[in-house]
Amino acid sequence: MLEIRKCVVIVLLLCVNSIKCEIDDGSKQGQLVFAHVIYRHGDRTPVDPYPNDPYKDRKYWEEGYGQLTNVGKEQHYQLGQFFRKRYRKLLENGNYLRDFIYVQSTDVDRTLMSAESNLAGLFPPEGNQIWDNQIKWQPVPIHTIPEQLDGVLASKRPCARYTMAAKKYQKSQEFQDLLNKYKSLFQYLEQNSGTSIKTLDDAQYLYNTLWIENLKNYTLPEWTKKIFPGGDLQWVADRSFQVQTNTPELARLKSGFLLREMLDRFDQKIASKLNPDRGVWVYSAHDTTVANILNSLQLFEPPRSPPYTATVLFELYKKGDSYYIEIFYKNSTNENLSPLNMPTCGVRCSIRDFRRIYETVIPTESFEKECEVSLLSLTYEEVEYRGLDGSWLALTLLLLVVLAIVLMAWKMFQQERNMRWYHRI
């Protein structure tokens, strides 16, 4: 009898726990009020075939190099349909209105075209939005700026502090050990591909080209069988996506401005100051964008090359008078999403706690202030990381001193000559 009672108690506890787990299941708790979406473009052709590539001729890539394919268009059309279901209530039941959504893309053909394909699936015209019965599509604005001016999404705007921090990290013992570990692999790749392979990024670019050609069912050269698919080359390619944001300073200057922009917009939404009061903000970008944002938030484990249409969803929920964030990662196949576990916060996090947890990677100053480097404030070590050496610095300072002395002497000479001229008068 005692054993039966114990069993009943255990069953009841399991039931209670299962109910509690269901209640605590992230997005079931509150009302979704706003979402930021960051996705990678769809299937594309190789950006830059390697010198010994048997398929480097343009005849193999009718779309051109680095361009979205028909498969990529279809992938994003389907992703747009997924967004239509998930965010229908935030988008006035699926009708396009400019006050409910904003779409921003990097200034690259494949990301702009991906956004267009995505919006075709997201907003098929209905009712009075049908402008041609033969065309089930309607134009939706996509915003962009030149990459060299974009320090938020494309992250290509020059940033001296980031350049210096990247050189510092690449000279670290940890990074040098990693390069030395795969030195023989890099040499093998160089000898057979005809291109320089010195870094993890170099290896990743080559791997990506081989992967695309294999995906197109092209027969790869015999030498690739030793290193593709899988093995060390894939491992290196996957981990190359950590390099750009693998320290707090790198993360702050590469992904921090995008993070801050989204958080500030969440704050505006909560304070009813978002104008227009949109429900969804979309960013069309690249695999590096997706990987960098996840790695900056310590959510990129294990590191994997983000597949085509990989998407990070930052969603804002309201429960009573409280608001919290949940983050989801959608790869190319998973439809049922689970919120990611944020460090010390779990699957949901208030804006204040989120800012506290990630304060080292969220900028507090303007882009210009965060990125500036004052030569006089640099340590000797930082001068070296900036690509200078001590002798260069000493010579520069000496020249500045000499110049200052010459200017002072010239000024005194001018003053004395003027005085003599005055006395003659």
Side-chain angles (χ1 to χ4, degrees):
M1 189 68 179
L2 183 60
E3 293 299 322
I4 294 176
R5 287 179 180 176
K6 285 183 179 179
C7 289
V8 171
V9 170
I10 291 172
V11 170
L12 288 173
L13 287 172
L14 289 172
C15 289
V16 169
N17 284 334
S18 66
I19 293 171
K20 183 176 184 296
C21 289
E22 184 176 349
I23 291 173
D24 286 344
D25 184 18
S27 58
K28 295 180 182 179
Q29 275 292 309
Q31 175 193 359
L32 176 62
V33 295
F34 193 75
H36 286 102
V37 173
I38 306 170
Y39 56 64
R40 185 195 180 192
H41 56 77
D43 181 89
R44 64 162 171 80
T45 58
V47 173
D48 186 19
Y50 56 96
N52 296 340
D53 192 343
Y55 308 107
K56 64 183 178 182
D57 195 294
R58 280 287 297 273
K59 69 181 181 182
Y60 294 104
W61 312 105
E62 59 183 19
E63 301 91 347
Y65 296 139
Q67 298 300 306
L68 195 70
T69 65
N70 285 340
V71 172
K73 297 168 192 175
E74 177 63 25
Q75 289 171 338
H76 258 289
Y77 183 84
Q78 293 175 1
L79 183 62
Q81 292 178 317
F82 171 82
F83 292 151
R84 182 175 177 82
K85 293 177 184 177
R86 189 174 184 89
Y87 297 132
R88 193 175 184 88
K89 291 183 179 179
L90 298 180
L91 298 171
E92 197 65 15
N93 292 320
N95 293 319
Y96 168 69
L97 289 171
R98 69 172 296 275
D99 286 353
F100 289 94
I101 188 170
Y102 188 94
V103 183
Q104 182 176 344
S105 172
T106 59
D107 190 25
V108 178
D109 290 353
R110 59 184 176 272
T111 54
L112 289 162
M113 293 172 68
S114 290
E116 291 167 354
S117 304
N118 192 286
L119 290 166
L122 179 55
F123 292 117
E126 296 178 344
N128 63 2
Q129 293 191 333
I130 298 175
W131 58 279
D132 188 316
N133 290 326
Q134 303 302 314
I135 304 176
K136 301 301 182 183
W137 170 85
Q138 62 177 318
V140 177
I142 301 167
H143 305 266
T144 190
I145 61 173
E147 285 190 295
Q148 289 302 307
L149 300 178
D150 188 353
V152 176
L153 185 58
S155 197
K156 294 291 182 70
R157 183 178 174 184
C159 178
R161 175 63 66 177
Y162 179 83
T163 301
M164 189 179 71
K167 288 182 179 179
K168 180 179 179 180
Y169 173 67
Q170 290 164 14
K171 288 186 178 182
S172 68
Q173 192 62 50
E174 171 196 0
F175 191 78
Q176 289 300 312
D177 288 345
L178 189 60
L179 291 182
N180 289 331
K181 181 178 179 180
Y182 294 102
K183 188 174 181 179
S184 59
L185 171 65
F186 291 175
Q187 290 173 343
Y188 180 81
L189 296 175
E190 276 194 358
Q191 291 167 2
N192 289 279
S193 69
T195 190
S196 176
I197 306 290
K198 304 298 182 187
T199 68
L200 273 65
D201 280 344
D202 294 337
Q204 192 274 327
Y205 292 145
L206 178 59
Y207 175 84
N208 192 254
T209 298
L210 296 177
W211 186 80
I212 291 173
E213 292 174 352
N214 184 63
L215 193 65
K216 304 300 181 187
N217 293 320
Y218 292 156
T219 301
L220 298 182
E222 189 68 23
W223 65 266
T224 64
K225 293 180 180 180
K226 185 177 178 180
I227 47 89
F228 182 91
D232 286 346
L233 180 56
Q234 182 177 346
W235 191 95
V236 168
D238 286 340
R239 271 132 191 94
S240 70
F241 286 96
Q242 289 180 300
V243 173
Q244 293 187 2
T245 53
N246 225 23
T247 71
E249 185 176 18
L250 290 173
R252 180 186 183 94
L253 298 170
K254 180 62 70 172
S255 297
F257 299 107
L258 178 56
L259 275 172
R260 183 175 68 183
E261 183 174 284
M262 292 189 292
L263 290 173
D264 289 348
R265 202 173 288 122
F266 277 153
D267 284 336
Q268 292 169 7
K269 183 72 175 182
I270 292 170
S272 300
K273 294 182 178 179
L274 189 61
N275 185 24
D277 189 23
R278 294 186 167 99
V280 179
W281 198 285
V282 177
Y283 294 103
S284 178
H286 307 266
D287 49 6
T288 51
T289 318
V290 171
N292 287 342
I293 206 80
L294 290 174
N295 199 48
S296 297
L297 299 176
Q298 302 170 50
L299 301 175
F300 195 46
E301 286 294 337
R304 289 285 187 273
S305 172
Y308 295 131
T309 73
T311 306
V312 185
L313 312 172
F314 289 79
E315 297 182 346
L316 181 68
Y317 291 87
K318 180 180 181 182
K319 182 187 178 185
D321 295 328
S322 300
Y323 293 83
Y324 60 87
I325 301 172
E326 289 187 2
I327 303 175
F328 301 83
Y329 180 48
K330 184 184 187 313
N331 60 31
S332 54
T333 56
N334 58 330
E335 293 288 331
N336 299 315
L337 306 183
S338 298
L340 301 179
N341 238 316
M342 291 170 274
T344 75
C345 220
V347 296
R348 67 176 64 92
C349 208
S350 69
I351 303 289
R352 183 171 60 182
D353 286 343
F354 189 95
R355 287 185 183 274
R356 174 181 53 79
I357 293 168
Y358 296 112
E359 63 179 346
T360 59
V361 298
I362 300 174
T364 56
E365 301 285 350
S366 66
F367 182 92
E368 292 78 11
K369 282 284 186 183
E370 293 280 347
C371 286
E372 72 178 1
V373 176
S374 172
L375 186 61
L376 295 178
S377 67
L378 296 180
T379 64
Y380 181 88
E381 185 183 45
E382 288 175 325
V383 168
E384 288 191 307
Y385 290 136
R386 202 178 183 210
L388 312 175
D389 57 30
S391 59
W392 187 96
L393 180 61
L395 180 60
T396 302
L397 292 175
L398 178 61
L399 289 174
L400 289 173
V401 170
V402 171
L403 180 61
I405 292 172
V406 170
L407 289 174
M408 288 176 63
W410 175 255
K411 187 175 181 180
M412 290 173 65
F413 170 75
Q414 288 290 93
Q415 288 177 342
E416 184 178 349
R417 190 178 68 169
N418 290 339
M419 286 299 293
R420 288 200 302 269
W421 180 77
Y422 174 75
H423 285 306
R424 282 200 302 271
I425 292 176

